[in-house]
Amino acid sequence: MTEKILVTGGAGYIGSHTAIKLIEAGYQIVIADDLSNASPRAIDAIAEITGTKPEFVEINLTDNAAVGQLFSEHTFAAVIHFAGFKAVGESVQLPLKYYRNNLDSTINLLQAMEAHGVKDFVFSSSATVYGVPSEIPLKETSNIGAVNPYGKTKEMIESICFDLASSDASWNISLLRYFNPVGAHPSGKIGEDPTGIPNNLVPFVMQVAVGRRDSVQIFGGDWDTSDGTGVRDYIHVEDLAEGHLKALEHLKPGCSAYNLGTGQGYSVLEVVAAASKASGVEIPHEIVARRSGDIATSLADPTLANAALDWKAEKNLLEMMQDSWRWQSSNPNGFS
Ligand code: UDP
């Protein structure tokens, strides 16, 4: 049997873009997804873009027996684990849903890997593990302290991975701490497709640009930043996907965390201006009260990933907005 890469959550936003990079690099992949927050049309789009239909297994990873069966039916060389609930607000309302799903699924996966001698693991972590930044830019050694249940699941899974790697030297684990992923595949065939009203800035801005919503509410104009609006380290999903490929190729013994960001911050007003330029649409916006739980600035120091993974984010803000706009304007209602 050929060894394959298991991509959990591979029908989702970052997973699907990474699946394309893996196929293009010659890997054979199996996508495992429960489709709870993703569309089967993403799998069709991956096939259209790459000319290769990936194997797809619809599976809920909290079902331990099903995970066992998945591992007995395939021989995996490595696992890239994206699957997980990711809505910060919902995690505050329904913490048990988040702890149960994100922790159980990961533990099931790691146990199946251990049982089958698969020890190469790349995990989808998040800059949310840093909570309120102890320093800017954030380094991998900066203080950790997630402030919501979603972020805490990421932090707990990181701890599990560190403990596992200390218990058994044959594990090779990379924890990828994403900053703010935006953009879409340049084909316009896949992109972010949030359900309901988008919480994140760029999907909201794009829905205003395409006419689905009236105006962007900017949460606070009195932050301690250059123009008073919040600053984030936006990273093109294509660069992020490339980071997973590099992480896979540069896995090393133990457990290591890497920031995946550009190291360059943009304010909400700069994002809105770039989105207007990319779309050619004047985007109505108004400054309203701060959103609870927000911080002024989040910014990565990506030098560790640059050196250790031989990876660097290449795409600028305008390219991010152009690709987001191509996806949004050719699919005004996402995959539905
Ligand atoms: N933001 C905003 N309006 C929105 C959504 C977000 O002004 O409708 C701001 C938010 O306050 C933050 C930035 O945009 O400064 C990025 O927010 P997002 O939710 O996308 O990412 P996160 O806050 O998790 O970094």
Side-chain angles (χ1 to χ4, degrees):
M1 264 194 293
T2 322
E3 287 197 340
K4 301 166 186 171
I5 310 295
L6 174 61
V7 184
T8 77
Y13 174 43
I14 303 167
S16 58
H17 287 80
T18 304
I20 290 170
K21 295 265 181 228
L22 289 165
I23 294 170
E24 286 174 348
Y27 289 99
Q28 230 183 302
I29 67 168
V30 175
I31 291 178
D33 202 300
D34 68 358
L35 300 180
S36 63
N37 190 27
S39 167
R41 284 190 49 202
I43 309 287
D44 299 335
I46 294 168
E48 242 181 85
I49 291 166
T50 62
T52 305
K53 194 163 174 69
E55 269 189 86
F56 172 63
V57 182
E58 188 171 341
I59 179 177
N60 183 325
L61 300 171
T62 61
D63 179 346
N64 199 25
V67 174
Q69 195 182 335
L70 177 68
F71 275 75
S72 33
E73 287 172 0
H74 304 268
T75 305
F76 296 121
V79 177
I80 308 182
H81 181 36
F82 294 99
F85 293 155
K86 61 171 188 181
V88 173
E90 188 190 39
S91 81
V92 176
Q93 303 301 318
L94 301 171
L96 294 178
K97 175 176 170 179
Y98 275 67
Y99 288 118
R100 173 66 81 196
N101 182 75
N102 291 4
L103 296 175
D104 271 8
S105 56
T106 307
I107 294 169
N108 287 344
L109 201 55
L110 291 169
Q111 281 190 321
M113 290 177 69
E114 184 163 64
H116 292 266
V118 184
K119 299 292 184 65
D120 286 1
F121 189 60
V122 176
F123 175 62
S124 200
S125 189
S126 166
T128 56
V129 299
Y130 294 114
V132 180
S134 58
E135 57 182 337
I136 295 288
L138 286 153
K139 297 184 180 59
E140 289 79 358
T141 48
S142 300
N143 293 346
I144 295 297
V147 293
N148 56 64
Y150 158 73
K152 287 179 195 171
T153 67
K154 296 291 182 192
E155 188 180 330
M156 288 174 186
I157 293 167
E158 286 200 354
S159 294
I160 291 170
C161 290
F162 281 115
D163 289 345
L164 191 59
S166 322
S167 75
D168 173 353
S170 64
W171 281 93
N172 311 302
I173 302 179
S174 279
L175 312 170
L176 304 183
R177 294 177 180 161
Y178 314 151
F179 279 71
N180 289 59
V182 298
H185 190 269
S187 66
K189 291 180 194 294
I190 58 168
E192 190 171 12
D193 184 19
T195 37
I197 302 170
N199 291 306
N200 292 116
L201 178 65
V202 172
F204 200 101
V205 166
M206 290 298 155
Q207 290 193 6
V208 173
V210 84
R212 271 175 76 179
R213 304 191 187 276
D214 294 336
S215 169
V216 178
Q217 295 198 320
I218 297 179
F219 301 142
D222 56 354
W223 295 101
D224 183 15
T225 59
S226 55
D227 64 19
T229 65
V231 168
R232 295 291 183 272
D233 187 330
Y234 297 94
I235 174 167
H236 198 297
V237 66
E238 287 277 287
D239 281 328
L240 201 55
E242 187 68 27
H244 289 76
L245 202 64
K246 294 289 191 164
L248 189 65
E249 287 165 357
H250 290 81
L251 277 170
K252 59 174 185 155
C255 179
S256 315
Y258 300 102
N259 286 339
L260 296 190
T262 64
Q264 163 83 54
Y266 291 102
S267 73
V268 177
L269 284 170
E270 287 172 323
V271 169
V272 172
S276 284
K277 189 169 178 194
S279 61
V281 175
E282 205 50 58
I283 298 172
H285 56 273
E286 56 180 328
I287 298 203
V288 300
R290 290 180 178 188
R291 177 171 70 176
S292 99
D294 268 356
I295 50 177
T297 301
S298 169
L299 198 58
D301 177 344
T303 49
L304 184 64
N306 296 162
L309 305 181
D310 182 28
W311 167 88
K312 197 171 188 304
E314 304 284 356
K315 295 190 185 247
N316 64 31
L317 184 65
L318 187 60
E319 292 170 291
M320 299 180 207
M321 294 306 117
Q322 285 166 335
D323 289 336
S324 284
W325 175 245
R326 193 173 301 108
W327 155 250
Q328 184 70 70
S329 55
S330 30
N331 307 271
N333 296 309
F335 285 114
S336 60

